[in-house]
């Protein structure tokens, strides 16, 4: 049973760079005390440290630019599914990143923030005609083709629009990673991508190259998520470049390669410290330059798609403590601390058994720590916010902060039990503002047409 680490301001800590204790002992984000945020905006609320998020985005962009300058350059696409709002899309664009979308909603959010279509990619294993049409209309950077039937779907829409669609092919290379290791399997049993092993990927490449309505510009691979080591990425890069070399042998020149996202973060002290963006970029660039030296092919322009590693550590969730219950368990006493949100604002513990930590945020509490489980208010026993954390004696009304909730928290949020989804407050230089307002019961009733 571990207690949460205190904020340190370091990029490898679990708190964002601008979280600190005030003199009175409460947490503050970029100089704004959490009691002020709770007072103004209520709880639960997601608090986003704008400068921290932008610094992480910038670090990826700078690292990739530097590592790939001797080759053909690089792009960084922020994976919007991790968390997207207009403000976030604008910040990413200002920091020099592009945006990845995987639905009409994500695409429209980035466009409505003023991001040009030429800086937005479209993903998805089951794209609608409307999504493909919108991507073509806005001049999207590329559409990542994920199946053989999609080739004719995109071509049909491009022909009707009198344009050529820029496409990537998503490869299933057999490299899978997550956590500390990666595995290479010959066969794939998952919904994404076209298999290199079975030849489906090569078939897609040949068909696209032969289709005048399509322009084959790139190959794509995404090997997993929450990856804390670089070797799986290098392995996948080699597999993608081998396919590119095969295509070159067929007379098909492919100028771009996208190596996906999945760069891991620390959720608790128990997680390994992931390599810095510079290290990931160095490993990727080494794999690419080695491959082009061996094959004599021109270097491709390389892109990556980090989501979690940019936004997860930049955001915390602030809850108010309600009911506290001491329970006897086979492994000893456990204190259940209930908060005013739960699986509707962070599904990851229920979905993946994900581990988080928590600190009492409104004051420094003295006293003996107890083994606690932080739970939500939903009608589900798996509605857990933090499985196991040492907390000092706390009381109803205290504020609890859970760090590293920026990715797949709000974006996977739901209205389970008809809870309104929390808003997102961004803080910078002592000022806070709502970038996504809290839902209200009225919002939900407005959908209910009786
Ligand atoms: C989910 C996903 C990403 C982002 O993954 P993170 O773990 O958030 O970095 C990038 N690319 C694709 C294709 C994805 O599916």
């Amino acid at each position: 049973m571990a207690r949460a680490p205190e904020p340190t301001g370091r990029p490898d800590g679990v708190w964002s760079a601008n979280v600190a204790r005030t003199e009175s002992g409460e947490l503050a984000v970029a100089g704004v005390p959490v009691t002020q945020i709770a007072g103004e905006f209520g709880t639960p609320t997601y608090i986003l440290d704008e400068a921290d998020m932008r610094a992480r985005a910038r670090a990826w962009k700078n690292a990739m630019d530097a590592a790939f300058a001797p080759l053909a350059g690089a792009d960084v696409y922020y994976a919007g599914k991790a968390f997207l709002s207009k403000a976030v899309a604008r910040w990413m664009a200002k920091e020099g990143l592009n945006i990845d979308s995987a639905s009409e909603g994500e695409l429209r959010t980035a466009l409505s923030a003023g991001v040009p279509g030429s800086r937005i990619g479209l993903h998805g294993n089951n794209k609608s005609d409307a999504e493909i049409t919108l991507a073509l209309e806005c001049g999207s950077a590329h559409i990542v083709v994920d199946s053989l039937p999609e080739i004719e779907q995109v071509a049909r829409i491009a022909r009707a629009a009198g344009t050529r669609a820029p496409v990537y092919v998503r490869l299933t290379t057999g490299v899978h990673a997550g956590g500390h290791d990666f595995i290479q399997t010959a066969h794939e049993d998952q919904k994404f991508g076209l298999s290199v092993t079975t030849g489906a990927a090569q078939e897609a490449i040949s068909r696209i190259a032969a289709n005048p309505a399509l322009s084959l510009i790139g190959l794509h691979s995404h090997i997993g998520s929450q990856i804390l080591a670089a070797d799986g990425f290098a392995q996948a890069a080699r597999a993608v470049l081998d396919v590119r070399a095969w295509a070159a042998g067929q007379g098909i020149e492919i100028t771009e390669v996208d190596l996906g996202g999945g760069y891991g973060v620390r959720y608790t002290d128990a997680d390994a410290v992931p390599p810095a963006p510079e290290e990931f970029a160095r490993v990727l660039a080494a794999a690419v330059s080695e491959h082009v030296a061996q094959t004599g092919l021109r270097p491709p322009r390389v892109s990556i798609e980090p989501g979690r590693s940019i936004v997860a550590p930049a955001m915390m969730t602030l809850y108010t403590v309600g009911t506290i219950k001491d329970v006897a368990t086979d492994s000893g006493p456990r204190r259940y601390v209930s908060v005013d949100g739960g699986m509707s604002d962070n599904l990851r513990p229920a979905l993946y058994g994900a581990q988080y930590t928590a600190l009492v945020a409104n004051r420094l509490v003295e006293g003996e720590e107890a083994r606690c489980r932080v739970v939500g208010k939903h009608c589900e026993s798996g509605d857990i916010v933090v499985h196991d954390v040492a907390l000092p004696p706390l009381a109803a009304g205290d504020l609890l902060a859970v760090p590293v909730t920026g990715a797949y928290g709000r974006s996977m949020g739901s209205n389970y039990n008809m809870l309104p989804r929390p808003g997102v407050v961004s803080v910078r230089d002592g000022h806070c503002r709502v970038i996504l307002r809290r839902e209200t019961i009225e919002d939900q009733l407005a959908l209910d047409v009786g």
Side-chain angles (χ1 to χ4, degrees), residues 79 81-82 100 123 170 220 222 224-226 260-263 305-309 408:
K81 69 178 184 188
D100 253 336
H123 274 282
R170 179 159 176 174
H220 177 277
H222 173 75
S225 59
Q226 184 53 14
Y263 305 94
E305 307 170 325
R308 181 194 318 267
S309 61
Y408 309 106

Side-chain angles (χ1 to χ4, degrees), residues 71-86:
L71 297 161
D75 295 297
V76 180
Y77 283 76
Y78 170 68
K81 69 178 184 188
F83 172 66
L84 194 62
S85 74
K86 291 187 212 175

